[in-house]
Amino acid sequence: MTIATLPFDALMDITARPPNVFVRGEGSWLWDHTGKRYLDFVQGWAVNCLGHSPRALAEALATQAAKLVTPSPAFYNEPSMKLAAALAAQSCFDQVFFTNSGAEANEGAIKLARKYGSLHRNGAYEIITFDGGFHGRTLATMSASGKKAFEPLFEPKVPGFPKAKLNDIESVKALIGTNTIAVMLEPIQGEAGVWPATLEFLRDLRALTSERGLLLIVDEIQTGMGRTGKLFDYENADIAPDIMTLGKGIGGGVPLGALLATDAASCFAHGDQGGTYNGNPLMCAAGLAIIDQVGQPDFLKAVTENGLFLESELQRVSARHGLGAIRGRGLLLALDLKRPIAPAIVATALEDGLLLNAPRPDSLRFMPALNVSRDEIVEMAAMLDAILGKIGAARCVG
Ligand SMILES: *Cc1c(COP(=O)(O)O)cnc(C)c1O
């Protein structure tokens, strides 16, 4: 393929992209239009939990595509019923509404909480969210997010999302009033740079919300589906939230999300929620192929072990180059660089054939395939080590 013939200009220019065009993927590896190979520790943004184009996913999609793609959201279909049952069986939730993205799942969670407030709490509608939180790019989910860069955008925002401070239970208590209906958080703030809620804070939040009759909503779009070594990160804190949202890993690379609720919180009436593609059999068949593997105890145990291995490799690199601590759980980790060199590292890594992500100028985020191999982790660490060497040398020269 000659890159010059591709019509770059017809796509809205919504982010700075490198000029590489990616054409093929397999496991932890991606290839661009020149045939150059990359070791991928971004994986579609923590999406491809079984790596690029895993056979189980490709086969599930091909089989289902040949059988039934979309009957109508107003009819039952088998893959959606089976996937909902599998999710309910492996979580503390009873009912599932499928979505096409994470943001849409969070929109659903916000609506469900508001509906619950109108039914049980005199119309209470405020959802306490957190500074640094990220819940998506629709208007309501941007409003729920505590991302500084979102603040001036698209005013006026959707009201009703007072912001507390992560790991500060008093800051949550201080915001609870008669209009409060829920507290919503990511168990690990991913986009902000992998800042975990402590397990103690998650337990305190559960106790506080239960005591005050409020819903606890966990946004597990990034942390769910095995990413932290449990199928869902709330399990690490041994709590049972009322509502959970999923996205990213649940589809293993295809657009699928989910809103899950306990029987008590699942209060939508006919007409409250819906969508043309929601719960379509094609995407749900993909979801079934994913949970089939990711939901296995042995698979999750390997995620925990590989997470610890990645952490130890990163620790060695950090020690060699005088960098900072490692944050996160399982295979969602960040390395604190202690200085704003992350964009330079990401750019050099791209040249060297390694895909990394910098959620902040001073940190790198690692979100490999959940079935990444030890060899691939070792190779990534060696490449990162070499890149840091180059950048350090460049700094001395410059
Ligand atoms: C990615 C993400 C979202 C948004 O999901 P989309 O599929 O991009 O809409 C929401 N919350 C969290 C925690 C995420 O990581």
Side-chain angles (χ1 to χ4, degrees):
M1 187 196 341
T2 57
I3 197 166
T5 63
L6 287 173
F8 282 94
D9 290 348
L11 285 175
M12 283 194 191
D13 187 26
I14 50 101
T15 190
R17 296 178 172 116
N20 317 59
V21 179
F22 290 92
V23 295
R24 188 166 77 83
E26 190 182 323
S28 288
W29 300 90
L30 258 184
W31 284 263
D32 75 9
H33 65 286
T34 66
K36 181 173 165 183
R37 189 173 87 139
Y38 302 80
L39 178 56
D40 187 1
F41 269 61
V42 177
Q43 285 290 353
W45 231 261
V47 163
N48 307 316
C49 51
L50 299 180
H52 289 283
S53 298
R55 179 171 305 173
L57 181 71
E59 280 176 1
L61 285 166
T63 306
Q64 189 60 45
K67 198 168 163 190
L68 177 64
V69 174
T70 294
S72 151
F75 295 138
Y76 283 116
N77 73 74
E78 229 177 290
S80 69
M81 294 159 82
K82 285 186 178 162
L83 183 56
L87 287 166
Q90 297 199 57
S91 73
C92 65
F93 306 98
D94 303 299
Q95 301 209 306
V96 184
F97 173 76
F98 291 111
T99 65
N100 308 292
S101 70
E104 192 190 356
N106 282 337
E107 282 275 342
I110 292 163
K111 283 170 62 176
L112 191 61
R114 286 188 174 196
K115 175 79 187 202
Y116 187 90
S118 76
L119 290 175
H120 304 297
R121 301 268 299 189
N122 298 318
Y125 65 93
E126 279 187 0
I127 300 174
I128 297 170
T129 57
F130 289 84
D131 285 340
F134 178 80
H135 298 295
R137 291 179 174 279
T138 64
L139 199 48
T141 55
M142 283 182 90
S143 309
S145 298
K147 188 174 158 137
K148 276 273 171 293
F150 282 180
E151 270 173 25
L153 301 176
F154 314 121
E155 291 292 302
K157 292 284 195 312
V158 176
F161 299 102
K163 305 290 183 300
K165 291 193 167 45
L166 193 69
N167 295 328
D168 178 351
I169 196 75
E170 293 305 321
S171 76
V172 181
K173 281 184 192 164
L175 291 175
I176 296 176
T178 51
N179 283 330
T180 310
I181 191 58
V183 175
M184 174 171 175
L185 83 163
E186 308 157 75
I188 300 173
Q189 290 190 342
E191 295 314 297
V194 190
W195 296 99
T198 64
L199 302 183
E200 183 196 6
F201 181 68
L202 289 169
R203 285 181 204 123
D204 287 350
L205 265 187
R206 177 66 285 185
L208 176 66
T209 48
S210 296
E211 185 189 306
R212 305 287 183 96
L214 307 175
L215 299 170
L216 179 62
I217 305 171
V218 286
D219 174 345
E220 294 235 21
I221 289 163
Q222 195 156 144
T223 53
M225 299 314 292
R227 179 61 49 188
T228 69
K230 298 279 187 191
L231 192 52
F232 308 113
D233 194 34
Y234 72 76
E235 296 171 52
N236 282 312
D238 207 12
I239 60 167
D242 303 291
I243 295 172
M244 172 169 75
T245 53
L246 296 173
K248 298 201 165 90
I250 188 178
V254 301
L256 180 65
L259 163 64
L260 296 89
T262 60
D263 274 331
S266 185
C267 59
F268 280 142
H270 290 184
D272 287 345
Q273 184 68 324
T276 304
Y277 293 118
N278 298 64
N280 70 80
L282 187 62
M283 295 306 126
C284 290
L288 273 171
I290 296 301
I291 200 169
D292 245 18
Q293 293 192 33
V294 172
Q296 300 295 333
D298 285 354
F299 185 95
L300 293 168
K301 195 162 150 262
V303 172
T304 302
E305 288 165 3
N306 279 335
L308 292 171
F309 183 69
L310 173 59
E311 194 174 334
S312 69
E313 287 293 290
L314 290 175
Q315 237 134 28
R316 282 197 314 135
V317 173
S318 177
R320 267 171 58 83
H321 296 275
L323 308 176
I326 287 107
R327 305 185 290 265
R329 288 191 275 272
L331 283 172
L332 180 58
L333 297 177
L335 169 60
D336 181 358
L337 302 164
K338 294 203 295 190
R339 40 192 178 270
I341 54 173
I345 293 173
V346 169
T348 308
L350 183 75
E351 282 171 25
D352 289 4
L354 171 64
L355 301 178
L356 292 176
N357 167 252
R360 297 155 49 116
D362 65 354
S363 14
L364 292 173
R365 174 170 44 174
F366 302 84
M367 36 190 171
L370 298 183
N371 57 1
V372 65
S373 73
R374 294 278 165 117
D375 286 350
E376 288 158 352
I377 292 173
V378 168
E379 189 166 347
M380 185 283 296
M383 290 176 86
L384 179 59
D385 187 57
I387 291 160
L388 283 162
K390 270 196 249 181
I391 288 188
R395 262 214 321 267
C396 294
V397 173

